[in-house]
Amino acid sequence: MAHESLPDNRIRRWYQPMRARDRDEPHRASTPLELLFDLCFVVAVGQAATQLHHAWGEGHIGHGVLSFAMVFFAIWWGWLNFSWFASAFDTDDVPYRVATLVQIAGGLTVAAGVDRAFEGNYDVVVAGYVLLRLAAVVQWLRAARQSPETRRTAYFYAVGITIVQVLWIARLALPESLGLTSFVVLVLAELSVPVLAERRAGTAWHPHHIAERYGLFTLIVLGETVLSATNAVKEGLASGEHTGDLVSLAAAGLVLVFSMWWLYFDQPGHARLVRGNSLRTSMSWGYGHYLIFGSAAAVGAGLELAVDFDSHHTELGGVATALAVTVPVAVFLLSVWLLHIGPGNECRPIAIGFPVVAVLILAASFGPAPIHVTAALAAVLVVVTVAATHGEREPG
């Protein structure tokens, strides 16, 4: 009997109808293909953080932050759209895998163009971005043909995405004076496509799966931050000078990243999605992670700058160097607070604790040992959170 079913299994591996998955499907977990997709995209995250470090270290703070924000949008938006589509239409056959390969190639092309983007030339980034987005259009067209219940929504996605990609290409011909304005307009256009499409007939994304996908990417970005800081400390120690300061800084950085991990995962992400169960909740939660992912990546660049400062390899002042860490940490805490905790959370210590600690961390920028104080404050917030929620944690 096993031999008789083998040809059918082989056919299903080569080609399967793309049907909407069950929103309440039990044990819905990330696939190996999704994990590979994440790892390839984090290459682009690392490149963006590296260029932010260089720009900030050279004193080009405004330009560096703006370039980082623009490049990071391309990375984040490509990852986000793949993840939500895969949560609703994960058809693991050969055409689906090939389309995903093209999206990965687009993401790696974006990574290859990060250096040029920080110099003001976005041609390679746009080429990679358009490639990965048009591969997503192919997936939506396939869903439109094979999933009747979401046909109108899928066609809207396909048409909307295609129009915006044409505009991204056209933007390359605009004068530099219109660069930022046109970027903001097209970002708003990109963000509007899912909002308008999902109002027609929502796709069957899975709350637990989406929360896991976001959590995994948060882990990868934090891991990239640890790697960047470790390499910077390693280079500093190679000189044989400032060893004590660098070891102390490495310990503070480790405590800081560990605290960020703890605070993000302390509250289950899917709980907010399930409780809200609305388009507004899912969009605000999903879009809001731009700040979480971006700030977590920026912390790595900031820690590298702190290493440069302690080893006297930068001309930046202490406050400017400290702000490269404290600002993204504060943004991270406030974003986690808004998306996972909520200002109206009945547990007042953590509802109040997150914004208070964020303000104290920003103030630490102007005092002695700002990185160590930031790490200590983040650790204190962890202690407060654990104490305040003891015995009240929701089952995972």
Side-chain angles (χ1 to χ4, degrees):
M1 295 296 293
H3 290 290
E4 292 177 4
S5 64
L6 186 57
D8 291 337
N9 290 336
R10 286 177 176 171
I11 291 174
R12 284 196 294 272
R13 290 186 63 185
W14 275 100
Y15 183 82
Q16 304 170 21
M18 183 171 280
R19 305 295 190 195
R21 298 188 66 148
D22 182 2
R23 184 180 171 89
D24 299 316
E25 177 184 347
H27 310 299
R28 179 77 168 92
S30 298
T31 66
L33 181 60
E34 289 174 311
L35 300 180
L36 176 63
F37 188 90
D38 292 354
L39 289 173
C40 291
F41 261 63
V42 83
V43 173
V45 174
Q47 289 294 317
T50 297
Q51 291 304 313
L52 175 61
H53 164 227
H54 291 160
W56 196 298
E58 293 169 0
H60 307 307
I61 298 175
H63 169 76
V65 171
L66 180 60
S67 298
F68 175 81
M70 294 171 70
V71 169
F72 199 85
F73 174 82
I75 302 166
W76 165 77
W77 191 243
W79 177 89
L80 178 147
N81 280 270
F82 168 83
S83 298
W84 286 78
F85 181 91
S87 188
F89 301 100
D90 184 9
T91 303
D92 190 21
D93 59 3
V94 171
Y96 180 86
R97 292 186 177 190
V98 171
T100 301
L101 171 63
V102 176
Q103 290 176 281
I104 290 174
L108 294 177
T109 303
V110 170
V114 169
D115 292 6
R116 291 168 62 88
F118 271 74
E119 296 171 358
N121 189 339
Y122 284 83
D123 55 353
V124 177
V125 168
V126 169
Y129 179 76
V130 170
L131 176 63
L132 74 91
R133 298 296 283 137
L134 291 182
V137 169
V138 173
Q139 299 280 51
W140 280 115
L141 289 174
R142 185 180 173 193
R145 291 195 307 271
Q146 300 174 359
S147 181
E149 64 272 24
T150 56
R151 179 163 296 153
R152 290 183 63 201
T153 299
Y155 275 131
F156 190 94
Y157 268 110
V159 173
I161 293 170
T162 300
I163 292 173
V164 178
Q165 301 325 296
V166 172
L167 294 176
W168 279 116
I169 296 173
R171 176 180 176 271
L172 294 174
L174 293 177
E176 187 176 347
S177 59
L178 296 177
L180 180 58
T181 301
S182 59
F183 175 81
V184 172
V185 170
L186 290 181
V187 164
L188 293 175
E190 289 278 20
L191 297 177
S192 297
V193 170
V195 175
L196 297 175
E198 294 291 329
R199 284 180 176 175
R200 294 171 172 268
T203 52
W205 52 270
H206 194 289
H208 287 77
H209 176 249
I210 285 295
E212 182 192 25
R213 296 289 296 118
Y214 275 69
L216 289 172
F217 202 71
T218 301
L219 282 176
I220 292 176
V221 173
L222 288 174
E224 181 67 32
T225 295
V226 172
L227 178 61
S228 298
T230 301
N231 287 336
V233 171
K234 179 181 177 181
E235 293 177 7
L237 292 175
S239 65
E241 302 176 356
H242 316 291
T243 300
D245 291 339
L246 293 176
V247 170
S248 176
L249 181 61
L254 179 60
V255 171
L256 176 58
V257 172
F258 189 78
S259 298
M260 292 168 66
W261 164 83
W262 193 310
L263 294 168
Y264 179 87
F265 287 98
D266 186 72
Q267 299 289 322
H270 69 268
R272 193 73 180 272
L273 291 172
V274 172
R275 283 198 302 268
N277 194 28
S278 67
L279 177 61
R280 180 178 179 180
T281 299
S282 60
M283 289 295 174
S284 61
W285 192 89
Y287 287 3
H289 270 72
Y290 170 83
L291 295 175
I292 290 180
F293 295 157
S295 60
V299 168
L303 290 175
E304 287 188 85
L305 279 171
V307 171
D308 293 343
F309 181 81
D310 281 359
S311 55
H312 304 297
H313 288 154
T314 181
E315 296 181 359
L316 279 181
V319 173
T321 301
L323 288 171
V325 176
T326 58
V327 170
V329 171
V331 171
F332 180 89
L333 293 180
L334 291 173
S335 301
V336 172
W337 174 60
L338 289 171
L339 299 180
H340 281 193
I341 309 298
N345 193 292
E346 60 184 17
C347 185
R348 301 314 295 167
I350 62 172
I352 298 173
F354 272 77
V356 168
V357 169
V359 171
L360 292 176
I361 284 174
L362 290 175
S365 308
F366 305 94
I371 310 304
H372 298 75
V373 173
T374 297
L377 288 169
V380 168
L381 183 57
V382 169
V383 173
V384 170
T385 300
V386 171
T389 59
H390 179 66
E392 300 179 4
R393 189 179 309 280
E394 297 183 32

